[in-house]
Amino acid sequence: MKKLINNPNNVLVDMLDGLTSAYPEYLKKLDGTNVILRADKSKNKVSIISGGGSGHEPAHAGYVGYGMLDGAVCGEVFTSPTPDQIYEAIKATDDGKGTLLVIKNYTGDVMNFEMAREMAEMEGIKVEEVIVNDDVAVEDSLYTAGRRGIAGTVFVHKISGAKAESGSTLEDVKRVADKTVANVRSMGMSLSSCIVPAAGKANFVLGEDEVEIGMGIHGEPGTHREKISSADQIVEHLMNKILDDITINNGEEVAVLINGLGSTPNMELYIINKKVSEILEGKKIRIHRTFIGEFMTSLEMAGFSISILKLDEELKNLLDAKANTPGFKVF
Amino acid sequence: MKKLINNPNNVLVDMLDGLTSAYPEYLKKLDGTNVILRADKSKNKVSIISGGGSGHEPAHAGYVGYGMLDGAVCGEVFTSPTPDQIYEAIKATDDGKGTLLVIKNYTGDVMNFEMAREMAEMEGIKVEEVIVNDDVAVEDSLYTAGRRGIAGTVFVHKISGAKAESGSTLEDVKRVADKTVANVRSMGMSLSSCIVPAAGKANFVLGEDEVEIGMGIHGEPGTHREKISSADQIVEHLMNKILDDITINNGEEVAVLINGLGSTPNMELYIINKKVSEILEGKKIRIHRTFIGEFMTSLEMAGFSISILKLDEELKNLLDAKANTPGFKVF
């Protein structure tokens, strides 16, 4: 294992220290926890809390800031944060308008966020939740009942965050978050595994010319392995799966997110986007906005995912609203 | 070679198509060239042109936009663009106030940009240039006389771009660009090589537990190879080299750029920044702003570089000025 770390058992704390040192104008750590909060939380708004296991940076702490998250609860690598930490995040950010929890669909995350919700509700805090399950690859998986939540989650952060920032009620923020979940689909593929620091070895191994299609962001098995083909062929396969799963008509608009999993050069992500945009144009689906980069990574895994979000006027306006976070900025 | 590409000989064209499809509000391609221009160039300002070999994405085309570059000339992977393409970029962006060329110090780049400059001057266009040589690792190198230009170049784009956007003269834009070059120092290290698509194999090989200190962004040899140590020890070595090379006094301010070379997880970049900020704080050097991410990559190379820019009031204001490009945004 060749990694730029100090003690493998200390990566979470070291990373959060490095992150808050870099962005003091955006972020602060809640004392005694692994919760990252906004340094300058807007007042009198619904708070948006997300989080999960670490190893997906810049998710989730990198999305704490104006127009997105108020708090990110950071578990150990690929490990759900504990309910008490999530509860602390809710308590620290609530100012009477309630909290929306944005949860990726993993059994541990759902259980722990829901326990924290109950704890907060017993204190009289209004809490709602939305469970993101955008990955069309497989039903049920290593750590998931139903579909997994992957990079499409970033759209849920953006849109619910913008709605909350506008002063809307918890019910209304939850409504647009639910609509985003209903409208987003994703799928990924990998060329390599990744190495959890504390484990010290790859959690799966692919052959020299082999790729895994539809794997999860913790290396959970996908639909199958195959010999690597061209970028165009791979994109075509993923886009077919995505577009088979949601009806997007001629002339309707979408947002596109091409997400690098950790080791894929930006050059290759741009090449992938060429084919994605050709496929959408071929179907007369209009591309409102495209985001290319690393948004929901799997440590140093090579590979990518595509997320397609079907837009209506409301979602479009919320997607275009100002966001200012370390990892995601919209003017 | 496991890469997400189509034809290895076509990566440049495919990538530029994917990039302009993603960001039509920012970018357009100059017909018949590999030059990327602003879709909405501000009028009546000095134009800023940069570029070089591809494989460093988001550099350089990702920095085309408000407050940074007006044009990026994109060569084949790790290959300087030709003078005629650079000349076309100058011609397409000049509107009578002149052009500043921001050149990384590689022999091919310097030669070709200077030939293009002569061609433009013969047409009566005022052209100035600045050669960035921020890498403190080695004097002279595989493709360079003197020091190499690496990630510190992004600060030169940002600061000269902001000055140009403010309506300054070419002389004044060149002055702040020169000051930035005088004030920035960088150094990097790698855990792995990268693979140029058309070559199909790594351009160097490191052992299982070996790293290269001070290598260049095309894999040019650094100062030495060593057994991997902790992130803290590696950062300490690089920071010593950087701070030995420039006098930064107690109480002075700097900007920090922690640049991932392609495969290094954001988690590790944050861990690196923890030590960088501790070292600076220990010396009572104040950190005005930190940028962490992939800014000047080497395809899928694992590793990172640190750039430190010493600030005065003028540079600070220009660094903080609004920039809106696909790869670099400052509110």
Side-chain angles (χ1 to χ4, degrees), chain A residues 161-279:
Chain A
K163 190 71 180 168
E165 206 67 66
S166 77
S168 296
T169 62
L170 181 56
E171 290 63 35
D172 236 21
V173 173
K174 176 174 163 53
R175 182 182 56 75
V176 298
D178 283 336
K179 198 203 287 190
T180 308
V181 172
N183 283 15
V184 67
R185 298 292 186 282
S186 304
M187 189 163 160
M189 63 80 64
S190 65
L191 283 73
S192 76
S193 182
C194 57
I195 298 173
V196 174
K201 60 180 183 48
N203 49 358
F204 64 95
V205 178
L206 288 170
E208 275 290 307
D209 60 354
E210 200 181 31
V211 300
E212 173 115 17
I213 303 292
M215 84 298 139
I217 55 174
H218 313 93
E220 306 95 313
T223 56
H224 66 286
R225 293 183 179 185
E226 60 182 37
K227 204 165 139 43
I228 189 166
S229 52
S230 71
D232 282 0
Q233 285 170 297
I234 292 167
V235 167
E236 216 158 316
H237 178 76
L238 301 187
M239 286 294 283
N240 280 341
K241 294 277 284 183
I242 288 171
L243 295 176
D244 278 356
D245 200 76
I246 183 169
T247 305
I248 307 178
N249 296 314
N250 223 317
E252 285 193 296
E253 287 187 277
V254 295
V256 173
L257 189 139
I258 310 290
N259 173 56
L261 289 170
S263 286
T264 294
N266 291 303
M267 168 183 277
E268 297 179 22
L269 299 179
Y270 302 156
I271 291 172
I272 287 156
N273 185 60
K274 175 176 193 279
K275 188 65 182 173
V276 171
S277 66
E278 283 170 4
I279 290 171

Side-chain angles (χ1 to χ4, degrees), chain B residues 254-311:
Chain B
V254 295
V256 174
L257 188 140
I258 310 291
N259 173 55
L261 289 170
S263 287
T264 293
N266 290 304
M267 168 182 278
E268 297 179 21
L269 298 179
Y270 302 155
I271 290 172
I272 287 156
N273 184 60
K274 176 176 193 279
K275 187 65 181 175
V276 171
S277 66
E278 282 170 5
I279 290 171
L280 292 170
E281 280 158 22
K283 294 182 184 295
K284 308 259 187 283
I285 295 170
R286 290 154 60 206
I287 303 166
H288 174 64
R289 240 179 214 270
T290 301
F291 302 88
I292 305 181
E294 295 185 344
F295 299 99
M296 182 70 72
T297 60
S298 302
L299 296 167
E300 71 278 76
M301 189 183 284
F304 71 101
S305 62
I306 303 169
S307 299
I308 303 287
L309 172 65
K310 180 169 143 175
L311 296 169

Side-chain angles (χ1 to χ4, degrees), chain A residues 35-55:
Chain A
V35 172
I36 300 295
L37 301 176
R38 275 180 66 174
D40 65 335
K41 180 174 182 295
S42 311
K43 293 288 165 224
N44 200 33
K45 68 177 267 304
V46 169
S47 98
I48 313 280
I49 303 287
S50 192
S54 293

Side-chain angles (χ1 to χ4, degrees), chain B residues 2 11 94 101 118 133 156 188 193 254 270 274-276:
Chain B
K2 211 153 52 163
V11 293
D94 176 72
L101 304 177
E118 284 171 31
N133 60 351
V156 184
S193 181
V254 295
Y270 302 155
K274 176 176 193 279
K275 187 65 181 175
V276 171

